[in-house]
């Protein structure tokens, strides 16, 4: 039979949520020994498809085939039994459990009363960690890990299942290029061992580098299905995904050396361990803050907005020395806003609606003398921004937690656009965002700067940094290593940055 | 519109209608003016107690001390009238001020120590109530002005003034959560303190205000009870004020308030209180072996919530097809 | 990380130090407090309350609440006493049936919660009313008096005149729970469900049965506490269990349990019980004005919790991310 | 027709005689009904709900143990406003109230008398431990005062008051803790609440200590047995059966044209000036075997003279 060629196949699968048609008649074919890319904009239905394949959701229509046999999954256990492993987009770890226990969590469903041998678990877990180039004690609780390491642990968990089909939903979103390389090496090895893999990413370079075939979704529909990537280039992917070619954001040169800085840090030290930090951001200027993960950039942002105390040095806003004691003060008195990198916990209130999340920064400003503020005035202010970012949501009253990951990220940026701040600190704005929205966001950041907003951009994405920033400040180990002007020449600037870091 | 039929509030209305139908079929006297008055009077007090608890549940915490705070407010009211000789309107202010202050203490302790509000309010419940007992030596204040006692008996078309007060407070509160920037900020802080903080909300301050608001509502509830009894008595909420806990939780939880914080339903809480009062009243009116009433109340409650779940499943299923 | 700092960071460490220090300090002020008889009473209190509290703790572990612990305990208590008095069953058989009633009640709670998705709070609040109502319906608020001598002896005497018999079930259960929660897949699943139910569901472990299991264990322990209460009080009172609820939450939380689930500790919880018992009993000895007892109790609990909290914050500062 | 509602404060063994007593009264006096109805919980609010629902079900006469002696007064006013007649039994409403009279035990006086009995049996030093119930109950203060007064008069001292121990577990714990550490510092125990009396009797039995003398309250089997066995000296008995029986009779008479005599030989206590003693008796080992008979005698006496003493009836 024809289908037997595929390790896994989904045929004409549809899935409806209240008010949302997430997938309609989508097909997916995964061959053994190949890496298959699943592409699409935010909210196109990628994660939903993966959840159907892994038994988390049941399809409303359509059928699934494992190695040519029709199969039905009534739960994740069935999918696992059929040899399907997965790394979901969201983290699914038990923070207080050890790495080893998390990796083998699925075994807990088998024998409820057999004593767990933690030593043996750790022994078994170690090779999987090593395979990913992780030098971690398997007995360590997961809560002690950084987000990137947690991501790797989940990948290790999926590998440890020794599945024939492995689905990876944006596994590289929070990895450094170095860590991602280690992962790719493992994936290639698995491919050679005959494993069939599905890989979701918004980083097209990775797809080009890694994948053999590609399925593209647009608005829950197949644009193409198991097409070979050989003849496809970056622009073709883009075209398939968004129906037109990529909009290239041009770097602009802004010259206003003479304007006094809006924000100035002078030898600032903080309770979090920052030492002797000096930097300045002028109105209308985008200052990049680059560093490897753990350099203390996010923490510095939180110090600036008054979340953590400054222990020495001085912060000046509009040339006046200030003591910012709370975030509310930073926003409402000094006009400083912060887009968090951790949207789930710090950026958004997942249980609240789109409108409430996007409007939270303006409630106080819009309130009348009685402290009252109606939905209509908030809407008037917020809706244009949400429109502009093309947030895919059935209504402004949808819970943000039900949006796709990328759309959530858009909301967490959108709320600052309406806030009208004079300085915006943006932390990793485009993680998990599709290329179309990424371009929008970049355009938006430029626009903000053109209108005179001072922007401090934290990003670990070097191309992004170079296409946006006017100047780049490099941090390492909670100190500023140096600063360089961004000329826009990728090779030169990135070499300069690396030099500063490894000084 | 479809979402209204799926809501808790609608479910409660259906439940209330069903139970009213059953009870008035079994017992023609159910609609007597006196029974209406009695039901509305109890429901008014329970609604306010529920709203008071709801205001703290909005933070994702809870307050065991609402009963104790209420009693303290009522006793302060009695004291202000009897011992300090103040006018009743000034005494109301004193009582509410006491309640708000105690709420502030709770909120401040919760925010400053970072200890779960359960433990803090468990301790302050003891402290507040114990302090009140020590000061009052367990004695009641009875010499209240006629305005107060008359208010307790006042009825408008057989509906108790206590209930109307509760409804008025509920309307204000609903508007507060819906339209006031402060109310919105309270809910945001309750749902996710860190995210709210980074959006410029003083989450800590909001938590304190939630406790203060809750205490104020508890104070109003206690003053209504005082009007109803015509006296401020230390035992009006039971030992340590614990008698308020069950009605306090039941009404908001039935009404759809999230125990994890960030979402409240004012109308749901009021409807929940009404449902529970009608259930209790209707059951007492049937001649069930006196000791079995509570068991049957439990069964009916279960039936009510299970019926509600089936209603939602049915509607969700039929909505898709 | 040194051994000592590992202890310093353990959950049970703070409550344990507070308890031991409190006993020593109070004992120094008044030797009578550490007389064997007084310690005996302290152990008895910890034994009975400990069982109650463990019953709640299991449900806290899955991030839920069981408001009906007192209802189940009371029902088991009067079943135990009633079966002996009215049906003339031997104590062991009566206890077994009482425990079964607890298991059934837990199954009832757990099954309803797991299949309907209604919050445990609402279900157990309603079932509390149901269980208490059955209790009153059976007894008409009358106690059962005829408790066999062996049951009374079990409730009042001590092994080798040292360790009250009543503490044995609690010790056994505490140990078993500790093993369950730290070493057995079922216990790990219970904790995992408390921490992140979504993640557990994705591993294919049955959420439903884990929730039911936690409630069944809780029902069993509550019933055991009810049986123990009959032995301790030497009488089958229908009011047994009415007062359990607050304590059952307070002790785990004082011991550092997270009410949203996923983190409980048997040791810390039992030390939490000990703190409450020590404070309660010390207040009796120090002749506090009866009108002030409540206020002082509250202040002391705040103080004890505050100290423990301070230690936790200190301990957490030592940790970093990798 | 007289429909009597007999309503205690909550479920409690003290009231167990009220049910049968109401049935007996209904039969003996040919009443429309005399139903014993118990609030589901010992809560003022529960009792009020119950009373309110009963009045709209057509009950027109009530025998009530007040959930709170002040807090229940307004409920009485509601009931009377609906044409019902109300008397208090067991405990009293605090004056002024619309209740016709209070048929019960003077709690303060009972505690006083019990302490007197205790002092009588104590030899040598007279250090007393007082065990009592909820501090929010105004009766508790009356009991504390009664015990203190008796102790002063009899040359004894109240060493300590342990209160708020109506829950059995708390009672066992606190009494146990006290006895373990301080048994040597007291010579006698007076218990003025049901549960503490039971637990203290158990505690003394466990200690096997007959040096410490004790006087309890009420007729719990544990207490009676302890009296027979010599661990407890006696108990202040009340007459719940008689309260409901005589109360139902009186209410029926009142519904049939009788009125309450203003100048009857009312006793008065801390709560009310219209108090009728339903019978308080001190029961010691000698009488422990037959306390029921003693109470029936009192009830009979009270019933026979009731109309003549307390009521004006037009014949
Ligand atoms: N549980 C749910 N309830 C309602 N709508 C949902 C639910 N889950 C997903 N959706 C909607 O279904 C659509 C597809 O979402 P999905 O998460 O599959 O997108 P995605 O392609 O993975 O996007 P991203 O790249 O942002 O992760 C979105 O519009 C989303 O809002
Ligand atoms: N006080 C702390 N307690 C625990 N972890 C901390 C603390 N301070 C920093 N970290 C961890 O150390 C890491 C470095 O912090 P930070 O996020 O500031 O680095 P960064 O340069 O912004 O890196 P990223 O690119 O991940 O944003 C973070 O992952 C953070 O979780
Ligand atoms: Mg996705
Ligand atoms: Mg960062």
């Amino acid at each position: 039979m024809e289908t037997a060629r595929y390790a896994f196949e989904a045929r004409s699968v549809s899935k409806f949520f209240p008010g949302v048609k997430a997938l309609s008649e989508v097909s997916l074919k995964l061959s053994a020994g190949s890496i298959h890319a699943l592409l699409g904009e935010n909210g196109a239905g990628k994660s939903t498809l993966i959840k159907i394949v892994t038994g988390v959701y049941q399809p409303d229509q359509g059928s699934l085939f494992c190695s040519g046999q029709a199969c039905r999954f009534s739960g994740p256990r069935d999918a696992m039994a059929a040899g399907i492993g997965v790394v979901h987009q969201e983290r699914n770890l038990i923070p207080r459990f050890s790495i080893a226990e998390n990796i083998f969590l699925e075994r807990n469903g088998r024998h409820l009363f057999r004593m767990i041998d933690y030593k043996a678990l750790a022994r078994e877990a170690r090779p999987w960690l090593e395979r990913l180039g992780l030098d971690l004690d398997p007995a360590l609780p997961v809560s002690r890990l950084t987000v990137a390491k947690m991501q790797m642990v989940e990948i290790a968990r999926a590998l440890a299942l020794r599945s024939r089909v492995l689905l990876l939903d944006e596994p590289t979103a929070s990895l450094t290029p170095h860590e991602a390389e280690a992962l790719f090496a493992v994936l290639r090895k698995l491919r050679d061992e005959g494993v069939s893999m599905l890989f979701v990413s918004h980083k097209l370079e990775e797809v080009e580098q890694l994948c053999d075939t590609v399925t593209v979704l647009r608005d829950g529909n197949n644009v193409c299905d198991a097409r070979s990537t050989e003849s496809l280039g970056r622009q073709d992917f883009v075209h398939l995904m968004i129906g037109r070619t990529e909009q290239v954001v041009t770097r602009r040169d802004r010259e206003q050396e003479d304007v006094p800085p809006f924000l100035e840090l002078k030898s600032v030290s903080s309770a979090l361990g920052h030492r002797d930090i000096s930097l300045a951001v002028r109105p209308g200027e985008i200052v990049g803050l680059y560093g490897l993960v753990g350099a203390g950039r996010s923490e510095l942002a939180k110090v600036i907005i008054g979340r953590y105390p400054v222990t020495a040095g001085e912060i000046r806003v509009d040339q006046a020395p200030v003591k910012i004691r709370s975030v509310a003060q930073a926003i409402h008195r000094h006009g400083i806003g912060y887009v968090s990198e951790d949207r789930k916990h710090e950026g958004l209130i997942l249980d609240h609606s789109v409108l409430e999340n996007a409007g939270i920064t303006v409630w106080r400003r819009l309130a009348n003398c009685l402290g009252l503020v109606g939905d209509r005035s908030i809407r008037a202010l917020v809706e244009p921004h949400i429109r502009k970012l093309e947030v895919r949501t059935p209504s402004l009253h949808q819970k943000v937690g039900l949006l796709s990951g990328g759309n959530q990220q858009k909301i967490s940026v959108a709320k600052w656009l309406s806030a009208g701040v004079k300085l915006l600190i943006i932390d990793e704005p485009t993680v998990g965002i599709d290329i179309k929205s990424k371009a929008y966001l970049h355009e938006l950041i430029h626009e903000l700067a053109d209108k005179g907003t001072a922007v401090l951009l934290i990003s670990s994405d070097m191309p992004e940094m170079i296409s946006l920033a006017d100047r780049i400040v490099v941090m390492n180990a909670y100190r500023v290593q140096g600063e360089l002007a961004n000329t826009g020449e990728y090779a030169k600037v990135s070499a300069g940055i690396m030099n500063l870091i490894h000084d | 519109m479809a979402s209204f039929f799926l809501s808790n509030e609608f479910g409660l209305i259906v439940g209330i209608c069903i139970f009213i139908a059953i009870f008035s079929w079994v017992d023609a006297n159910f609609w007597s003016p006196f029974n209406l008055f009695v039901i509305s009077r109890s429901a008014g007090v329970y609604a306010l107690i529920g709203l008071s608890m709801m205001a703290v549940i909005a933070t994702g915490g809870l307050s065991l001390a609402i009963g104790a705070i209420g009693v303290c407010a009522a006793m302060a009211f009695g004291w202000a009238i009897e011992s300090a000789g103040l006018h009743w309107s000034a005494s109301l202010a004193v009582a509410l001020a006491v309640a708000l202050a105690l709420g502030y203490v709770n909120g401040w302790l919760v925010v400053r120590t970072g200890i779960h509000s359960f433990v803090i309010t468990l301790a302050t419940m003891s402290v507040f109530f114990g302090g009140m007992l020590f000061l009052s030596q367990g004695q009641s204040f009875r010499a209240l002005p006629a305005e107060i006692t008359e208010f307790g008996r006042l009825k408008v078309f057989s509906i108790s003034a206590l209930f109307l007060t509760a409804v008025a407070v509920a309307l204000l509160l609903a508007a507060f959560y819906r339209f006031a920037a402060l109310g919105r900020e309270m809910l945001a802080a309750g749902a996710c303190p860190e995210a709210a903080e980074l959006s410029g909300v003083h989450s800590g301050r909001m938590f304190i205000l939630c406790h203060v608001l809750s205490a104020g509502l508890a104070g109003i509830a206690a003053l209504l009870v005082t009007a109803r009894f015509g006296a401020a008595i230390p035992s009006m909420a039971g030992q340590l004020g614990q008698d308020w806990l069950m009605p306090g939780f039941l009404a908001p939880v039935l009404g759809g308030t999230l125990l994890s914080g960030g979402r409240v339903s004012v109308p749901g809480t009021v409807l929940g209180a009404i449902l529970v009062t009608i259930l209790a009243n209707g059951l007492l009116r049937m001649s069930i072996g006196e000791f079995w009433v509570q068991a049957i109340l439990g069964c009916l409650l279960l039936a009510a919530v299970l019926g509600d779940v089936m209603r939602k499943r049915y509607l969700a299923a039929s909505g898709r097809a | 990380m040194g051994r000592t700092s590992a202890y310093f960071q353990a959950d049970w460490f703070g409550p344990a130090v507070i308890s031991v220090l409190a006993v020593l300090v109070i004992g120094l002020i008044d030797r009578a407090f550490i007389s064997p008889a007084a310690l005996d009473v302290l152990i008895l209190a910890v034994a009975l309350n400990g069982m109650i509290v463990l019953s709640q703790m299991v449900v806290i572990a899955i991030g839920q609440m069981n408001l009906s612990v007192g209802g189940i305990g009371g029902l088991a208590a009067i079943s135990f006493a009633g079966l002996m008095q009215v049906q003339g069953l031997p104590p062991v058989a009566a206890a077994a049936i009482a425990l079964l009633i607890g298991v059934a009640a837990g199954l009832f709670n757990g099954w309803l919660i797991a299949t309907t998705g209604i919050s445990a709070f609402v279900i157990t609040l309603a079932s509390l009313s149901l269980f208490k109502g059955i209790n009153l319906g059976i007894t008409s608020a009358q106690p059962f008096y005829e408790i066999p001598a062996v049951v009374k002896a079990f409730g009042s005497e001590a092994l080798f005149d040292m360790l009250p018999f009543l503490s044995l079930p609690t010790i056994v259960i505490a140990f078993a729970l500790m093993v369950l929660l730290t070493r057995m897949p079922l216990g790990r699943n219970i904790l995992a469900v408390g921490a992140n139910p979504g993640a557990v569901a994705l591993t294919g472990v049955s959420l439903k049965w884990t929730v039911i299991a936690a409630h069944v264990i809780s029902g069993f322990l509550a019933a055991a506490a009810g049986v123990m209460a009959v032995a301790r009080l030497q009488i089958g009172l229908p009011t047994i269990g009415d007062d359990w609820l607050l304590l059952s939450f307070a002790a785990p939380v004082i011991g550092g349990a997270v009410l949203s689930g996923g983190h409980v500790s048997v040791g810390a919880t039992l030390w939490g019980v000990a703190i409450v018992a020590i404070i309660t009993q010390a207040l009796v000895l120090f002749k506090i004005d009866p009108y002030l007892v409540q206020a002082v109790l509250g202040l002391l609990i705040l103080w004890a919790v505050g100290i423990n909290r301070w230690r936790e914050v200190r301990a957490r500062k030592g940790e970093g991310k990798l | 027709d007289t429909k009597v509602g007999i309503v205690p404060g909550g479920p409690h063994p003290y009231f167990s005689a009220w049910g049968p007593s109401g049935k007996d009264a209904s039969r003996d006096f040919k009443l429309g009904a005399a139903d014993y109805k118990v609030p589901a919980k010992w809560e003022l609010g529960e009792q009020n709900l119950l009373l309110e629902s009963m009045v709209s079900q057509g009950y027109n006469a009530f025998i009530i143990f007040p959930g709170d002696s002040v807090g229940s007064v307004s409920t009485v006013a509601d009931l009377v406003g609906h044409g019902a007649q109300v008397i208090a039994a067991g405990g009293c409403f605090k004056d002024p109230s619309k209740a016709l009279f209070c048929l019960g035990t003077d709690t303060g006086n009972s505690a006083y008398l019990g302490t007197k009995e205790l002092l009588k049996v104590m030899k040598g030093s007279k250090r007393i431990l007082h065990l009592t119930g909820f501090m929010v109950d105004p009766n508790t203060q009356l009991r504390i005062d009664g015990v203190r007064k008796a102790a002063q008069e009899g040359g004894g001292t109240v060493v300590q008051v342990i209160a708020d121990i109506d829950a059995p577990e708390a009672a066992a714990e606190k009494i146990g803790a006290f006895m373990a550490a301080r048994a040597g510092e007291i010579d006698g125990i007076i218990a003025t609440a049901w549960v503490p009396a039971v637990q203290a009797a158990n505690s003394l039995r466990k200690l096997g200590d007959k040096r410490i003398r004790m006087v309890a309250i009420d007729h719990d089997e544990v207490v009676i047995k302890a009296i027979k066995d010599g661990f407890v000296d006696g108990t202040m008995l009340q007459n719940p059966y008689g309260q409901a029986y005589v109360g139902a009779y009186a209410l029926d008479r009142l519904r049939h044209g009788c009125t309450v005599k203003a100048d009857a030989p009312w006793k008065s206590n801390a709560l009310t000036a219209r108090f009728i003693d339903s019978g308080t008796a001190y029961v010691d080992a000698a009488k422990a075997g037959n306390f029921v008979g003693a109470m029936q005698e009192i009830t009979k006496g009270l019933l026979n003279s009731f109309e003549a003493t307390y009521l004006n009836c037009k014949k």
Side-chain angles (χ1 to χ4, degrees), chain B residues 45-67:
Chain B
V45 172
Y46 283 153
L48 271 175
I49 294 173
L51 290 175
S52 163
M53 187 64 89
M54 185 197 77
V56 204
I57 295 179
T59 65
L62 41 77
S63 173
L64 302 179
I66 53 169

Side-chain angles (χ1 to χ4, degrees), chain B residues 82-109:
Chain B
E82 268 185 41
S83 306
L86 297 180
H87 187 254
W88 62 264
S89 52
S91 306
L92 283 182
V94 170
L96 285 180
V98 167
L100 298 180
L102 296 182
Y104 186 85
V105 171
N106 275 344
W108 188 85
L109 282 172

Side-chain angles (χ1 to χ4, degrees), chain A residues 125-143:
Chain A
R126 200 179 292 277
W128 299 108
L129 295 173
E130 278 166 5
R131 224 174 149 172
L132 288 167
L134 288 177
D135 180 28
L136 288 175
D137 178 1
L140 218 55
V142 160
S143 60

Side-chain angles (χ1 to χ4, degrees), chain C residues 49-163:
Chain C
N49 294 344
M51 192 64 96
I52 296 168
V53 160
L54 290 177
S55 152
Q56 186 69 265
M57 190 198 75
V58 177
V59 179
I60 292 180
I62 53 166
Q64 298 183 349
M65 302 183 171
N66 183 359
L67 304 188
S68 67
V69 277
I72 298 175
L75 193 55
I78 59 116
S79 311
F80 176 56
L83 286 169
M84 291 188 298
Q85 175 171 328
V86 181
Q87 311 288 340
L89 288 189
V92 177
I97 295 179
L99 293 178
L100 268 182
I101 289 176
V103 167
L107 191 64
F108 178 77
N109 282 340
W111 184 79
L112 277 180
I113 294 163
T115 52
T116 64
I118 302 173
S119 91
F121 194 92
V122 176
I123 294 285
T124 57
L125 191 61
S127 70
L128 165 65
S129 189
L130 178 61
F131 299 146
K132 181 69 199 178
I134 295 176
N135 176 337
L136 284 178
I138 293 174
T139 60
S140 301
Q142 284 302 304
F144 291 110
Y145 291 101
E146 286 161 32
I147 308 300
V150 352
V151 176
K152 288 187 172 174
F154 182 73
S156 59
E157 273 157 37
L159 188 62
F160 313 124
D161 281 334
M162 292 272 296
L163 197 60

Side-chain angles (χ1 to χ4, degrees), chain A residues 101 114 116 118 140 144, chain C residues 182-183 185-186 188-189 322:
Chain A
E101 202 177 0
R114 180 183 290 173
I116 300 174
Y118 287 107
L140 218 55
R144 301 270 311 271
Chain C
T182 54
R183 303 220 137 242
L186 176 63
R188 302 306 283 174
N189 288 345
L322 297 168

